[in-house]
């Protein structure tokens, strides 16, 4: 009965999503050529947009996952799968722009590139989320 209480389920889901968000953002930190939090502290708005888009994308996938799955384990599985797809989308974005490097442009505070990065992360999270069963 304890684990079926909506307050306990919400706290459990919340805790898992926060933990996954921290881990997934650490992975994104490893694959980018800049330090997200140092750049944000310096006021780099492009990095803030790109990072915010990644964070929104991750939690949005978990939103769909929690909504469509009965168990926390299934939700985590779909969340991990969605994160892998977001990460793959990041590499596709870099590949599809051969005339410049996305990470360099974002680090140099190119706000157009940072905004597109945000939109790609958010958009892909809705596509992934729509397919979660």
């Amino acid at each position: 009965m304890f684990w079926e209480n909506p307050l306990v389920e919400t706290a459990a889901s919340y805790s898992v999503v926060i933990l996954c968000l921290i881990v997934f953002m650490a992975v994104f930190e490893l694959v980018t050529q800049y330090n997200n939090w140092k750049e944000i502290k310096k006021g780099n708005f492009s990095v803030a947009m790109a990072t915010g888009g990644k964070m929104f994308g991750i939690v949005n996938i978990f939103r769909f996952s929690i909504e469509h799955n009965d168990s926390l384990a299934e939700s985590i599985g779909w969340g991990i799968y969605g994160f892998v797809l977001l990460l793959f989308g990041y590499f596709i974005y870099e590949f599809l722009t051969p005339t410049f490097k996305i990470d360099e442009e974002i680090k140099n505070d190119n706000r157009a590139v940072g905004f597109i990065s945000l939109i790609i992360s958010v958009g892909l999270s809705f596509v992934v989320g729509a397919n979660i069963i």
Side-chain angles (χ1 to χ4, degrees):
M1 269 318 221
F2 177 77
W3 292 107
E4 294 175 5
N5 182 309
L7 297 175
V8 174
E9 285 182 1
T10 300
S13 295
Y14 176 83
S15 300
V16 166
V17 170
I18 293 296
L19 179 62
C20 288
L21 180 62
I22 291 167
V23 170
F24 297 163
M25 290 307 296
V27 172
F28 270 125
E29 187 79 33
L30 292 173
V31 300
T32 57
Q33 297 176 5
Y34 50 85
N35 183 304
N36 290 307
W37 305 112
K38 283 183 183 178
E39 290 295 322
I40 290 169
K41 186 177 179 182
K42 290 191 310 189
N44 188 325
F45 192 66
S46 298
V47 172
M49 284 190 291
T51 303
K54 291 170 188 168
M55 293 173 83
F56 181 91
I58 291 166
V59 298
N60 192 42
I61 288 170
F62 272 102
R63 180 194 75 82
F64 282 103
S65 182
I66 292 166
E67 186 176 54
H68 294 296
N69 290 290
D70 293 332
S71 77
L72 194 54
E74 285 179 317
S75 295
I76 293 169
W78 277 105
I80 292 169
Y81 181 68
F83 166 71
V84 169
L85 291 176
L86 278 183
L87 189 61
F88 186 63
Y90 168 80
F91 291 120
I92 290 173
Y93 178 37
E94 186 74 54
F95 177 76
L96 291 176
T97 55
T99 58
F100 61 90
K101 295 203 176 285
I102 300 300
D103 280 354
E104 286 179 20
E105 294 298 321
I106 291 174
K107 184 178 180 179
N108 293 330
D109 204 13
N110 182 332
R111 293 179 181 189
V113 175
F115 181 71
I116 294 297
S117 181
L118 178 148
I119 295 299
I120 288 172
S121 295
V122 169
L124 289 177
S125 76
F126 280 101
V127 171
V128 171
N131 287 284
I132 292 176
I133 53 172

